[in-house]
Amino acid sequence: MTVPPLGLQAFGIDPIGASFGALFAMVWGISGVYALLTITAGRRLRFWAYYLSAAVGGIAVAFAQDAITFYFAFALMALSSWGLVAHFLSRESLRAGRIYLTVTVVSEMPLLAALMIMVADAGSGDLAQMRQSLVGGGNTNLVMALVLGSVALKIGSLGVSGILPLTYTYTPAGAVVALAGASVKVGALAMLRLLPFGTGALDAWGAGCIVLGLATTFVAAVLGVLTTHPKAVLGYSSASQMGLLLTAAGAGLAGDAAAATGAVVAYSIHHGLAKASLFLGEDLVNASTGWVRTAAAAALALPALALVGAPFMSGFVAKYALYDALYQVAGPAGRYSRTLMPWAALGTAALMARFASLSLRRPQGPDVGLQASHSYAARWSVFACSLLLVAGATWLWPAEWVESAAEHALDPASLWTAVWPVLVVAAASVLVTALRRSPLPGVVVPGDWMLRIDGLLKTFERKPVTRLPRPAPPPPRLAWLSASEEVLTSWLVAGSVFMLLAVALVLLASRG
Amino acid sequence: MMAWLPILLPTLAALLAFSLGEKRHAARSTVTIAIAVGASVVVGLLAASAFEGETASASVEMMPGLPLRVEADLLGLLFAAVATSLWAVTVIYASGYLKHTRNRGRFFGFFALCIASTNGVALAADPLTFLIFYETLSLATYPLVVHTGTSEALATGRRYLVYALGGGIAMLVATAWLISVAGSVEFTPGGALGTVDTGQRLALQSIFGLFVLGLGVKSALVPLHGWLPAAMVAPAPVSALLHAVAVVKAGAFGIIRLVNELYGPELATSLGVAQPLAVVAAITIVFGSVVALRQDDLKRRLAYSTIAQLSYITLGTALCTPLAAAGAVAHLALHAIMKITMFFTAGSLHETLKIKKVSALDGVARRMPLTMGSFALAALGLAGIPPLAGFYSKWLLGVGAATDDVWATFVFAASGAFTMGYMLPILLRSIRQSDHDPREGVESDPRLLWPILMVAAGVLVFGLTAGTDYGPVGWAIQAIAPSFGGLRP
């Protein structure tokens, strides 16, 4: 017998890991500094215990080179983040924490199974070897389904988009920056680490990812425009943008490996930094009054425009990397996805308009002299740093996709593609504002149907004993299970059942 | 002679405990702990020489032609090491837990006899020796289950005896039948029945079934598990050592010997007996996990968790692939240390705060942070979160299953989620805000706290050292390798 190496030993730096590692380190760093300035005394120990564990996992995951190390870092980050989501211990944040934890535990199950099967097939725990042995092994489709299923839950794909707004809405600003900017990008990293790109054998899976990704992009945009809280809008926007990342991964499965890898990395960096900046700005707008509030809101235009993909912004670079990858995809999936891309930008622009409207109309708190304090100035410098990163990082990143985008930057057709969604939404916003005084009411609760998971969890817990006499409760949903357990525990039944099983076993075995 | 010591030393401790009477508590504790530590050292020395390839063995003639044989091989020593070293820890815990109760001499005496029998089960070199120690284990446990003497305990004790002796009869028939078919065989890595006439198929299948019936009682295979949740009426140290480590693992260990070293993985597969066993084990895993979700009594929740986790061992063994078999052996050791941590904690909560229900746990982590921190470590390990101990056995089991039986990989992965499902509510409740009076002090009696910290440290350390040769995981791999043609780098 041979045993694949055990233990946490395989950390290493490769180009993909370096890019993601740099992104994660920057975002967790910014988020941490902001948390240092905003988390109030008395909560600090609780906050940092979870934050630092999550940060260790969230940064280490980029450098993990084998299955066990990868799973360890991933799990450390995901489980520790519960403490960040539930930080305020309010009813809503505890509920968000419970649902987050449930979804996390459920999503790690297929990931673990996929890793186990891949290691068994490859005879090695090395991620690169596992990827290579996937095609041609007997379990290709099974592993693809498991990995994509797990990632889809992680990044809030179609149907489960609510998990991102639900967690972001109740998480303190100093942590939500990291969750939205870095944690969710681990889903993108997982796709690069576990899915074999450019093999030519997984075209159908690629097309499926492209379709699912684009569908997520549009549906999440609609949900986001209809939701009620500015942070939830950003959450739905994340789900929508992660849909584009899934599309990019689909392009890798069905087309060219290098172009798609570039697209996934570029899009992750762009979106990670822009989202971090948006959450910082949102918190500043909320904490400020007077003209400073207006200034903060105005500064938010930079990351918002970047997210939409306006010319010369980071989103412009990332979009072109994505276009390049989609051009390598043959067949209708590639063609239609390229046609739909500008409409995705329209959705993003609408989300940003909704975000601006909701965050500006959020009721202002009383002026408590916060703006005169040192820490308030420091908050602004953190926000300014993030703005600089949004403006510059994607251009300065040492990678090929920058050249491709630079070639397209002054091309009139591509400029127009990038500009018209912004103009349409701007015009529509002006129109709506002119026609009605109050903002559009929201109908989608942050988290949409996923809030019901909490009720589902409760059916498993026995009701606590109450002192007041009550009418007889309806039988619990799993009563048959307890009842069958009562029957099974009697010795007579147990013995007879076992003897029957044994006879059946002998009969079964003697046939074969 | 060396090979007898792990059995004789606890027997000596039992004799001393009985003869010291009911009054001299300090002397009894000191003697027992000293002997437990000594026995652990002996097991360690035996293991050191077994790692070098020199296996100690010994035999004594009971009747002409019926020898009692023991052999200190790596597989048996791993189980003996777990039982003996955790015995030492449990004695410290029990001396704190039982400080207000009567009949402590009887308790410690039978406790030591249980360990002697367990070590006998671990080191038995042939099925007959195994059977004899297996039966003495059943009998030595009875006084501990009924220790409190309440009518509930006595009823549970009767139930336990019916199950245990019923299983014993099946074992007796199986052993006798086996000897008549195959002669006096010894456990041999890779299988001892190679020479048996293939015309005996039906007999061999029936014998396997009878062995599983006997071993399945102690390893709590559904539907033979009924005694285990009921036995939670026993004091916490009994639940901890016997219902997480010694008694239940004797059943699981028997299945490991049966499949790998009596029938051998190849014969068990070709006879078609391994697959049905795997299916029963998988059903047990799912059943135990789902029932555990709904238990409000903390010890009962842990008991159903044990039922599920024991079947990890059975399922891994029944899959008959090298990595799954290694994972099964590793899980035998690692589950022991995780579950004993949890039972210690449950006992400590009951003893210190009179809490028995999960729904009453609100805020206990603020009152007993170290205790509940240890519990959390063990619970997350049990759910298979790396780098804690439980991850590595589950990893080997899942990877081993994936080579032939992918469905079993899903059982392992899914039951990790179930484990989270019944452990996380405990952890989340324990860190809620609470109104415990700070003047009550923190933590509990140091004799309860320190054993918990020691075993919890093991959960972490054995996980972090999983990549080395001499941790439980590396030990398990080397112990099972001979059954699969040795270890290749």
Side-chain angles (χ1 to χ4, degrees):
Chain A
M1 67 188 274
T2 50
V3 183
L6 302 169
L8 306 174
Q9 41 210 352
F11 288 102
I13 298 183
D14 63 328
I16 291 174
S19 286
F20 275 95
L23 170 72
F24 294 164
M26 281 192 281
V27 174
W28 280 102
I30 291 176
S31 190
V33 174
Y34 199 77
L36 213 54
L37 300 168
T38 50
I39 299 296
T40 45
R43 301 172 180 274
R44 289 199 179 120
L45 176 66
R46 182 149 52 81
F47 181 83
W48 291 109
Y50 290 107
Y51 185 90
L52 292 175
S53 331
V56 167
I59 296 172
V61 72
F63 303 106
Q65 301 290 337
D66 82 346
I68 294 181
T69 318
F70 184 82
Y71 184 72
F72 158 66
F74 195 99
L76 181 62
M77 176 197 76
L79 293 176
S80 309
S81 296
W82 170 82
L84 304 175
V85 177
H87 175 77
F88 287 121
L89 299 180
S90 66
R91 208 169 60 85
E92 286 86 8
S93 61
L94 283 172
R95 183 181 59 180
R98 275 195 303 274
I99 297 173
Y100 167 81
L101 209 48
T102 310
V103 171
T104 300
V105 167
V106 170
S107 76
E108 302 222 334
M109 188 177 73
L111 177 70
L112 181 63
L115 289 173
M116 285 168 168
I117 296 169
M118 288 174 89
V119 169
D121 286 352
S124 153
D126 182 65
L127 288 173
Q129 281 185 36
M130 284 158 56
R131 225 168 29 233
Q132 280 159 17
S133 326
L134 181 59
V135 173
N139 297 316
T140 316
N141 288 329
L142 180 62
V143 171
M144 291 296 295
L146 290 170
V147 171
L148 287 172
S150 173
V151 169
L153 271 174
K154 202 88 210 156
I155 66 175
S157 292
L158 188 66
V160 289
S161 300
I163 189 62
L164 299 184
L166 178 65
T167 47
Y168 296 173
T169 304
Y170 304 106
T171 308
V176 74
V177 171
L179 293 193
S183 287
V184 73
K185 304 297 171 296
V186 177
L189 176 68
M191 290 194 282
L192 289 182
R193 291 298 194 208
L194 299 176
L195 303 181
F197 280 7
T199 56
L202 299 169
D203 286 0
W205 282 103
C209 286
I210 291 175
V211 172
L212 180 66
L214 283 172
T216 307
T217 303
F218 290 107
V219 173
V222 172
L223 290 171
V225 168
L226 296 176
T227 196
T228 52
H229 192 283
K231 284 165 95 175
V233 177
L234 293 182
Y236 280 112
S237 153
S238 282
S240 170
Q241 299 288 310
M242 294 308 288
L244 290 180
L245 265 166
L246 187 58
T247 306
L253 292 171
D256 179 60
T261 307
V264 173
V265 176
Y267 221 95
S268 299
I269 292 168
H270 142 69
H271 180 243
L273 294 173
K275 223 8 110 37
S277 190
L278 281 168
F279 272 109
L280 288 174
E282 195 275 337
D283 194 59
L284 267 182
V285 170
N286 196 29
S288 313
T289 50
W291 67 271
V292 193
R293 185 178 165 102
T294 318
L300 273 176
L302 178 77
L305 285 172
L307 211 60
V308 180
F312 313 113
M313 301 278 197
S314 66
F316 189 68
V317 180
K319 282 268 161 61
Y320 272 92
L322 183 49
Y323 272 116
D324 279 351
L326 288 173
Y327 269 108
Q328 309 286 337
V329 179
R335 211 163 49 242
Y336 290 123
S337 59
R338 290 196 299 275
T339 318
L340 286 170
M341 281 284 288
W343 296 89
L346 186 71
T348 313
L351 282 169
M352 289 303 110
R354 175 69 173 167
F355 167 66
S357 134
L358 283 180
S359 51
L360 280 175
R361 281 166 199 270
R362 225 169 140 182
Q364 293 192 13
D367 191 346
V368 289
L370 178 71
Q371 279 171 220
S373 68
H374 288 297
S375 89
Y376 183 76
R379 286 197 210 185
W380 265 95
S381 22
V382 177
F383 183 44
C385 275
S386 81
L387 291 176
L388 281 177
L389 284 172
V390 171
T394 326
W395 288 104
L396 298 175
W397 214 271
E400 279 177 33
W401 70 73
V402 180
E403 291 163 28
S404 156
E407 281 170 25
H408 289 284
L410 296 172
D411 175 28
S414 55
L415 279 180
W416 176 240
T417 314
V419 166
W420 72 257
V422 183
L423 295 180
V424 169
V425 169
S429 307
V430 170
L431 207 66
V432 169
T433 322
L435 287 178
R436 46 184 302 153
R437 288 283 163 107
S438 58
L440 291 168
V443 290
V444 175
V445 194
D448 53 79
W449 74 268
M450 298 191 87
L451 289 173
R452 292 177 177 238
I453 291 177
D454 199 41
L456 207 65
L457 291 177
K458 291 242 157 61
T459 62
F460 274 104
E461 277 199 33
R462 287 213 172 137
K463 299 270 178 295
V465 184
T466 43
R467 294 197 189 118
L468 292 170
R470 285 194 309 177
R477 291 196 195 168
L478 290 177
W480 59 270
L481 200 67
S482 321
S484 62
E485 166 64 0
E486 290 299 318
V487 176
L488 276 179
T489 44
S490 95
W491 168 248
L492 191 69
V493 176
S496 342
V497 171
F498 198 95
M499 288 313 286
L500 279 177
L501 284 179
V503 170
L505 183 153
V506 168
L507 289 178
L508 206 71
S510 54
R511 282 178 58 215
Chain B
M1 183 59 202
M2 265 294 267
W4 286 114
L5 284 182
I7 302 163
L8 293 179
L9 284 175
T11 313
L12 175 68
L15 293 177
L16 288 174
F18 288 136
S19 55
L20 278 171
E22 292 297 342
K23 301 273 183 223
R24 285 135 82 184
H25 302 305
R28 185 193 318 115
S29 298
T30 315
V31 165
T32 316
I33 291 170
I35 292 181
V37 171
S40 305
V41 171
V42 168
V43 173
L45 291 174
L46 286 168
S49 72
F51 273 112
E52 298 296 321
E54 286 175 33
T55 313
S57 62
S59 74
V60 60
E61 200 95 344
M62 290 185 298
M63 279 185 286
L66 278 184
L68 207 57
R69 286 183 289 211
V70 289
E71 185 181 8
D73 64 337
L74 275 179
L75 182 59
L77 282 171
L78 179 59
F79 185 31
V82 170
T84 315
S85 56
L86 292 179
W87 174 42
V89 183
T90 310
V91 170
I92 303 175
Y93 183 86
S95 67
Y97 188 86
L98 298 170
K99 64 187 170 206
H100 302 304
T101 59
R102 292 181 297 130
N103 297 328
R104 272 180 274 173
R106 186 182 77 189
F107 181 88
F108 282 101
F110 280 105
F111 213 79
L113 275 186
C114 279
I115 298 304
S117 315
T118 305
N119 284 346
V121 165
L123 302 180
D126 60 42
L128 185 61
T129 313
F130 184 93
L131 172 71
I132 288 167
F133 284 116
Y134 193 81
E135 289 295 271
T136 53
L137 178 59
S138 298
L139 297 177
T141 315
Y142 175 76
L144 301 173
V145 174
V146 301
H147 180 73
T148 52
T150 59
S151 56
E152 190 192 2
L154 289 171
T156 306
R158 274 195 299 279
R159 185 177 192 176
Y160 168 72
L161 272 189
V162 172
Y163 271 95
L165 297 181
I169 292 168
M171 291 274 291
L172 178 65
V173 175
T175 310
W177 195 352
L178 181 76
I179 290 175
S180 78
V181 170
S184 175
V185 288
E186 287 193 41
F187 294 126
T188 316
L193 302 181
T195 54
V196 175
D197 180 11
T198 45
Q200 304 273 20
R201 241 184 112 81
L202 188 62
L204 288 179
Q205 287 164 342
S206 312
I207 294 169
F208 191 93
L210 284 167
F211 268 122
V212 169
L213 181 60
L215 296 167
V217 169
K218 281 209 174 51
S219 66
L221 281 176
V222 169
L224 303 174
H225 66 287
W227 65 274
L228 184 55
M232 289 301 132
V233 62
V238 177
S239 309
L241 191 63
L242 304 184
H243 301 143
V245 180
V247 174
V248 291
K249 293 288 158 57
F253 180 80
I255 287 174
I256 293 175
R257 283 272 200 225
L258 173 72
V259 173
N260 293 308
E261 304 203 340
L262 191 59
Y263 278 66
E266 279 178 35
L267 185 62
T269 314
S270 68
L271 280 177
V273 288
Q275 191 79 10
L277 179 60
V279 172
V280 174
I283 292 172
T284 308
I285 293 178
V286 176
F287 183 86
S289 304
V290 175
V291 177
L293 282 173
R294 294 184 56 77
Q295 301 302 317
D296 190 32
D297 185 289
L298 181 55
K299 278 176 79 181
R300 279 181 76 88
R301 186 176 288 206
L302 294 180
Y304 279 103
S305 159
T306 302
I307 290 171
Q309 298 280 329
L310 285 169
S311 277
Y312 275 44
I313 304 170
T314 308
L315 177 54
T317 307
L319 291 172
C320 295
T321 63
L323 289 184
V329 178
H331 203 64
L332 181 108
L334 298 179
H335 172 256
I337 193 146
M338 294 182 289
K339 206 36 97 39
I340 201 172
T341 310
M342 296 182 182
F343 273 118
F344 278 174
T345 309
S348 185
L349 288 170
H350 181 215
E351 184 68 16
T352 315
L353 302 175
K354 303 286 173 248
I355 290 177
K356 292 171 87 168
K357 303 274 184 204
V358 174
S359 53
L361 284 173
D362 289 12
V364 286
R366 292 165 194 274
R367 168 73 172 77
M368 298 165 74
L370 291 173
T371 306
M372 284 314 291
S374 305
F375 185 91
L377 213 56
L380 293 174
L382 200 70
I385 304 299
L388 300 171
F391 170 76
Y392 289 97
S393 47
K394 202 168 96 177
W395 178 255
L396 286 172
L397 286 164
V399 174
T403 41
D404 283 328
D405 303 87
V406 175
W407 63 270
T409 305
F410 286 105
V411 174
F412 290 124
S415 83
F418 276 121
T419 311
M420 284 297 237
Y422 57 73
M423 286 303 173
L424 279 177
I426 299 177
L427 304 184
L428 295 185
R429 269 184 183 282
S430 75
I431 55 176
R432 284 188 186 171
Q433 303 287 1
S434 69
D435 47 4
H436 286 299
D437 187 351
R439 279 168 303 180
E440 284 173 19
V442 287
E443 298 300 346
S444 47
D445 186 321
R447 281 176 297 183
L448 301 182
L449 179 61
W450 279 101
I452 292 176
L453 294 178
M454 283 156 75
V455 286
V459 176
L460 189 60
V461 171
F462 292 154
L464 291 174
T465 57
T468 64
D469 280 349
Y470 303 106
V473 180
W475 188 338
I477 290 169
Q478 291 176 69
I480 207 69
S483 291
F484 292 90
L487 198 59
R488 279 195 306 276

